[in-house]
Amino acid sequence: MKKSLLSIAVVSALAMGSCQSPVPSLNEAGIIPFPASLEAGSGIFTLESESGIKVTGEGEELEILGEYLATKLRPATGFVLPVSRESGNIILEMTSGGSPDSYELEISDSEVKITASSGSGLFYGIQTLIQIFPVEIENESLVDMSWKIPQGKIFDQPEYEYRGSMLDVARHFITVEDVKHYIDQMAGLKLNYLHLHLTDDQGWRIEIKSWPKLTEIGGSTAVGGGEGGFYTQEQYKEIVAYAAQNYITIVPEVDMPGHTNAVLASYAELNPGVNLPNGKTDSLNKAPLDYKMPTTNPQAAELYTGIEVGFSTFSTELELTYQFVDDVVREISEITPGPYFHIGGDESHVTEKDDYVYFIERVQNIVVKYGKTNVGWDEVATAKLLPGSIAQFWAVEENAKLAKDQGNKVLMSPAKRAYLDMQYDTTSRIGQHWAAYIELDSAYLWNPESYADGVGRADILGVEAPLWTETVTNRADIEYLTFPRLSAIAEVAWTKNERKDWESFRKRIAQHGKRWDINGIGFYRSPKVDW
Ligand code: TNX
């Protein structure tokens, strides 16, 4: 019995070896996002048991990057792949000069060499190299096959400096472990900013030591009435550090003055007394029909577990509101090394226009006081933005234009293309469709620089794909809505528009599907692709 099992294993291993598909040319390797320039050679390079990784140039990062690459290649190959300064036929070289995030990758018959002038550049070169290896490289255990890759040369650099995604950890809490898993996927796509939507009507998800009831009360539930959750500051730091190891910067968001019911439920003294919608709104994204002007109300709001938006607001006249904002921005900024602080500012339907403008202008200064650059949803451009502030376009083109006219940059997240919570089609098991149904080709086929009237290349900081989580409760839900669309958005953000090609993307993404299968990632099998 044992023997026959063994011989079946041997035979199938041999068969696998002999049937192994021919090495595709570098043009056909499933590289996503597609590189800035690529020249396919004719030969192949073979990774062997004697191979090693040699790091050269200045910087302690090099050893870490070498180990990172080795860790990716060891399990499936079973090779030792020592990392050293002395020898190895996979070379990571840090040079000086060159634009940040750019790298060169050269594969010859005897060696593979990645050259860059920054850690991020080398990291991106490593991601490309991993994608050039046969998909079986993703396996956690030994695969008996030869590890051949096509020769050629790549020079690569991103079109946009900000390439991001957002997780709404407020509507449903997302655990540290799941955020890290998301970061792993982002890293493979050369995305470099993770925006965390930390607060909303349904939940407050970050410990604030000077206002402890925010998490105690405000963090205690979620959409649908689940148990909620929050990150301690230590856990948040852990996410920040994990992201940094993956060359990803965290952008924290505290959404205000609307989307603040969780705060108003935690601290009565901050509640101006706009009451819950009580189901009296007619559809998503509309203010409550029975809205009345705020009155002073010493009662805390009730916790909210529905999915209406636009019914809550801070009092913009109350001094305590600004003390609160100051404390929150200070505590979060202290544990956020990245340059940005997102103040939300969307859908404040029950804040008077003048009050809204006053609030945004005042809060911008608090953010700057703590050394950060403001980011806000496009509505913030109806206020006078500080120089350098960023407006995140999601819905209203005129707002994006207002930001540009003030000399501010725009982050592109058009809901009709870049919202990962939109359904693919009418049969999608979760998601919303108020903005659009977004099939994979729709997520791919748009050009940030011609999308919003009057907003051109020079006005755009980058592209971000947000995942709102009203209908998302676990990792499987995240993966179903995110993949393959996040790969499409990553290419929109990295690759120049003239080098994008849907037919080529369709083929390349199919290879990623095989990788996701090996990694147990439950992606949406779009009918637009032959998986
Ligand atoms: C609009 S996008 C919102 C969010 C919702 C999302 C659902 C934005 C700035 N506001 O509050 O979660 O729609 O798709």
Side-chain angles (χ1 to χ4, degrees):
M1 178 62 180
K2 241 188 181 162
K3 197 175 165 208
S4 63
L5 271 182
L6 188 70
S7 55
I8 289 169
V10 170
V11 169
S12 56
L14 284 174
M16 260 179 78
S18 59
C19 296
Q20 208 171 303
S21 42
V23 181
S25 117
L26 198 55
N27 288 313
E28 276 119 48
I31 305 171
I32 295 177
F34 199 65
S37 102
L38 179 156
E39 231 175 86
S42 53
I44 52 164
F45 168 88
T46 309
L47 190 74
E48 282 163 336
S49 58
E50 308 76 48
S51 295
I53 298 172
K54 180 178 172 179
V55 297
T56 113
E58 306 253 314
E60 284 163 29
E61 243 171 328
L62 276 164
E63 273 74 14
I64 298 168
L65 286 160
E67 269 308 315
Y68 176 91
L69 174 58
T71 309
K72 295 281 180 187
L73 300 178
R74 279 173 189 148
T77 62
F79 301 157
V80 183
L81 301 174
V83 179
S84 76
R85 292 252 163 196
E86 284 75 47
S87 65
N89 56 354
I90 300 187
I91 300 153
L92 304 181
E93 185 179 27
M94 187 83 88
T95 56
S96 51
S99 49
D101 292 355
S102 72
Y103 68 91
E104 233 176 89
L105 166 63
E106 196 166 0
I107 304 168
S108 70
D109 52 359
S110 59
E111 64 177 40
V112 173
K113 187 171 182 179
I114 303 174
T115 314
S117 62
S118 63
S120 59
L122 287 173
F123 189 74
Y124 299 145
I126 288 170
Q127 301 306 337
T128 299
L129 178 60
I130 294 165
Q131 292 185 0
I132 295 169
F133 271 95
V135 299
E136 291 83 356
I137 200 73
E138 302 291 332
N139 282 279
E140 285 298 331
S141 55
L142 194 74
V143 183
D144 185 12
M145 61 182 276
S146 66
W147 300 98
K148 295 181 191 310
I149 58 174
Q151 287 180 22
K153 200 171 168 174
I154 288 172
F155 170 76
D156 204 3
Q157 62 183 7
E159 175 65 8
Y160 292 103
E161 70 177 75
Y162 186 119
R163 306 172 302 280
S165 185
M166 186 204 83
L167 290 175
D168 168 8
V169 300
R171 268 50 175 274
H172 281 102
F173 183 60
I174 301 178
T175 62
V176 173
E177 202 192 334
D178 284 350
V179 173
K180 286 183 175 174
H181 179 70
Y182 197 77
I183 287 171
D184 291 340
Q185 311 310 314
M186 286 179 66
L189 295 168
K190 305 186 176 81
L191 296 169
N192 62 350
Y193 284 93
L194 173 60
H195 167 183
L196 293 176
H197 182 78
L198 292 166
T199 71
D200 214 302
D201 289 314
Q202 301 86 346
W204 184 281
R205 308 296 179 207
I206 174 90
E207 174 191 19
I208 301 296
K209 294 188 199 278
S210 53
W211 296 79
K213 287 196 285 184
L214 290 171
T215 44
E216 218 172 89
I217 298 172
S220 67
T221 191
V223 166
E227 64 175 6
F230 66 90
Y231 309 123
T232 62
Q233 293 200 358
E234 284 309 308
Q235 288 173 319
Y236 176 83
K237 286 193 227 168
E238 189 184 326
I239 293 173
V240 165
Y242 190 80
Q245 285 164 21
N246 287 280
Y247 294 87
I248 291 170
T249 302
I250 298 295
V251 180
E253 178 186 350
V254 172
D255 201 351
M256 52 196 162
H259 289 277
T260 45
N261 188 75
V263 178
L264 310 179
S266 306
Y267 288 96
E269 58 270 43
L270 289 171
N271 184 16
V274 182
N275 290 316
L276 287 175
N278 296 326
K280 290 208 180 117
T281 57
D282 54 0
S283 71
L284 190 67
N285 292 334
K286 294 243 171 72
L289 299 175
D290 62 347
Y291 168 67
K292 287 185 205 66
M293 283 299 291
T295 54
T296 306
N297 181 356
Q299 299 268 303
E302 278 171 54
L303 287 167
Y304 182 64
T305 60
I307 63 165
E308 299 294 345
V309 297
F311 61 86
S312 57
T313 185
F314 279 155
S315 162
T316 59
E317 284 150 34
L318 194 68
E319 266 320 291
L320 189 64
T321 297
Y322 300 97
Q323 184 53 51
F324 172 82
V325 173
D326 194 286
D327 286 336
V328 168
V329 174
R330 173 176 48 76
E331 287 199 33
I332 296 177
S333 294
E334 275 167 9
I335 52 175
T336 302
Y340 298 118
F341 192 103
H342 201 304
I343 60 173
D346 58 316
E347 298 173 322
S348 279
H349 301 321
V350 296
T351 319
E352 286 294 316
K353 169 99 183 100
D354 291 350
D355 296 345
Y356 175 82
V357 167
Y358 172 79
F359 178 85
I360 295 296
E361 290 176 0
R362 208 167 148 183
V363 166
Q364 283 185 106
N365 286 306
I366 297 175
V367 167
V368 168
K369 176 170 122 193
Y370 292 111
K372 301 296 175 196
T373 297
N374 279 282
V375 188
W377 296 106
D378 61 46
E379 292 96 317
V380 297
T382 59
K384 173 136 188 41
L385 297 175
L386 289 178
S389 291
I390 310 298
Q392 183 166 11
F393 167 68
W394 65 284
V396 181
E397 288 187 25
E398 297 87 82
N399 288 341
K401 177 80 167 29
L402 277 176
K404 174 243 166 92
D405 290 345
Q406 297 190 50
N408 295 80
K409 291 223 171 171
V410 177
L411 177 58
M412 296 295 290
S413 300
K416 290 177 175 20
R417 303 295 183 139
Y419 268 27
L420 298 172
D421 64 316
M422 290 299 116
Q423 292 177 304
Y424 294 95
D425 63 22
T426 55
T427 69
S428 298
R429 67 174 177 84
I430 48 173
Q432 307 202 51
H433 55 260
W434 65 262
Y437 292 105
I438 308 180
E439 242 306 341
L440 181 59
D441 51 346
S442 178
Y444 184 80
L445 290 167
W446 64 284
N447 181 1
E449 54 185 283
S450 58
Y451 188 88
D453 251 1
V455 178
R457 174 65 190 88
D459 313 314
I460 297 173
L461 175 70
V463 180
E464 181 182 292
L467 178 68
W468 300 99
T469 58
E470 285 93 337
T471 66
V472 173
T473 54
N474 54 40
R475 190 188 283 192
D477 290 350
I478 295 173
E479 291 174 348
Y480 168 74
L481 289 175
T482 300
F483 303 109
R485 286 184 295 201
L486 187 60
S487 308
I489 300 295
E491 188 150 310
V492 170
W494 179 281
T495 309
K496 268 194 184 307
N497 193 58
E498 53 272 27
R499 278 185 73 74
K500 280 170 56 205
D501 178 53
W502 166 248
E503 281 307 316
S504 147
F505 182 79
R506 278 183 71 228
K507 296 198 185 96
R508 286 178 285 124
I509 198 74
Q511 299 188 46
H512 284 247
K514 298 196 174 82
R515 288 173 194 258
W516 289 324
D517 279 338
I518 294 169
N519 285 311
I521 290 177
F523 64 101
Y524 164 67
R525 286 175 192 270
S526 164
K528 306 269 171 183
V529 175
D530 307 317
W531 295 104

